Amino acid sequence: MIRQPIRIIRKRKTREEILELSTPLFARHGYDGVSMRDIAAAVGLTQAALYYHFADKNQLYLDTVAYEFRERVAALKDMLAGNGTPWKRLECFVAGLARMMASDKDFLRLVQWVLLDTNEARQSTLAKQVFRDMFVAVHDLASELDPHVDAHLLAMSIFGLVIFHFQAGATRKFMPGRRPQQDNPEVLARHVCDLLRGRLASADGEAR
């Protein structure tokens, strides 16, 4: 059982407050490492009161992930739909996603746990209800960058280049050539765009 300080409740917790307080638990311990008892203790509610808001832990987990991603996904989609060339919008998107990962460790940890989850039902629900719109937006941008490439693979590569950079952060800092400025979101965004631009140009030249 995870030891959490019990908060003294002065008023009834709202559903949003419960989601906000649940985030650090799921982010640090994953779905399997957290019980409804742990969450009730951290939030300062009885388990019965917690079940009033959520049918079970599965629903609470899915709703917590959706809550954490909702505003971030909206902001990232705005970047992808903004003004400028496709490459400029990609650089803005990559820098925005990198800033989110660099500035909020719980968000980064939650992303890692979500990606590691082997439960297909949860993955399917999150893919359809949380991640689909943002992926479609990146997929569409990938088609703009080069209509001749596999947009699905290019979209996945874009996400991978950003997310893995931060996932590997604890190990990467001990690797040769590591410099602090490499964690700057703008530096990473330029690197990713230069890398993809060079590869797509090369592929276009080979096709000709």
Side-chain angles (χ1 to χ4, degrees):
M1 177 180 172
I2 301 168
R3 294 185 178 275
Q4 294 287 339
I6 298 177
R7 302 169 186 268
I8 299 174
I9 302 303
R10 302 298 182 189
K11 62 178 182 177
R12 186 173 181 176
K13 289 289 182 183
T14 66
R15 192 171 185 279
E16 187 170 296
E17 286 176 310
I18 295 170
L19 294 173
E20 186 174 340
L21 292 168
S22 298
T23 297
L25 294 180
F26 285 125
R28 296 167 192 175
H29 306 287
Y31 179 87
D32 292 328
V34 179
S35 68
M36 290 295 270
R37 180 180 298 175
D38 297 325
I39 295 168
V43 174
L45 293 175
T46 65
Q47 289 189 67
L50 193 58
Y51 280 110
Y52 172 81
H53 291 280
F54 303 94
D56 52 29
K57 186 176 79 168
N58 194 67
Q59 184 197 348
L60 175 53
Y61 172 78
L62 293 172
D63 289 353
T64 298
V65 174
Y67 173 78
E68 279 299 300
F69 274 84
R70 187 175 299 115
E71 291 186 1
R72 291 179 173 91
V73 167
L76 291 170
K77 285 175 61 183
D78 286 344
M79 295 173 193
L80 291 166
N83 297 322
T85 66
W87 286 108
K88 187 64 179 177
R89 283 181 280 138
L90 175 62
E91 185 171 338
C92 184
F93 167 79
V94 171
L97 179 57
R99 279 192 294 271
M100 292 176 187
M101 298 237 163
S103 63
D104 190 336
K105 297 304 181 185
D106 278 342
F107 177 65
L108 173 59
R109 294 186 186 106
L110 188 62
V111 171
Q112 291 175 308
W113 280 113
V114 168
L115 293 175
L116 289 171
D117 192 358
T118 58
N119 184 285
E120 288 196 2
R122 284 196 295 272
Q123 290 286 13
S124 176
T125 298
L126 291 174
K128 294 174 183 176
Q129 298 181 7
V130 180
F131 307 129
R132 180 181 176 83
D133 286 350
M134 183 169 66
F135 182 82
V136 168
V138 176
H139 182 281
D140 290 346
L141 179 63
S143 295
E144 287 188 66
L145 294 173
D146 190 333
H148 304 296
V149 302
D150 187 322
H152 176 91
L153 288 179
L154 182 53
M156 291 302 298
S157 296
I158 291 168
F159 283 112
L161 286 168
V162 181
I163 294 172
F164 185 72
H165 179 84
F166 292 98
Q167 283 183 316
T171 302
R172 188 171 53 79
K173 65 183 179 181
F174 298 109
M175 293 298 179
R178 190 264 178 182
R179 297 187 300 277
Q181 60 265 36
Q182 293 164 346
D183 291 325
N184 183 306
E186 281 68 33
V187 171
L188 178 60
R190 287 194 297 271
H191 168 73
V192 169
C193 288
D194 288 346
L195 186 68
L196 293 176
R197 187 183 285 109
R199 180 66 190 99
L200 292 178
S202 174
D204 185 56
E206 291 171 3
R208 294 177 183 177

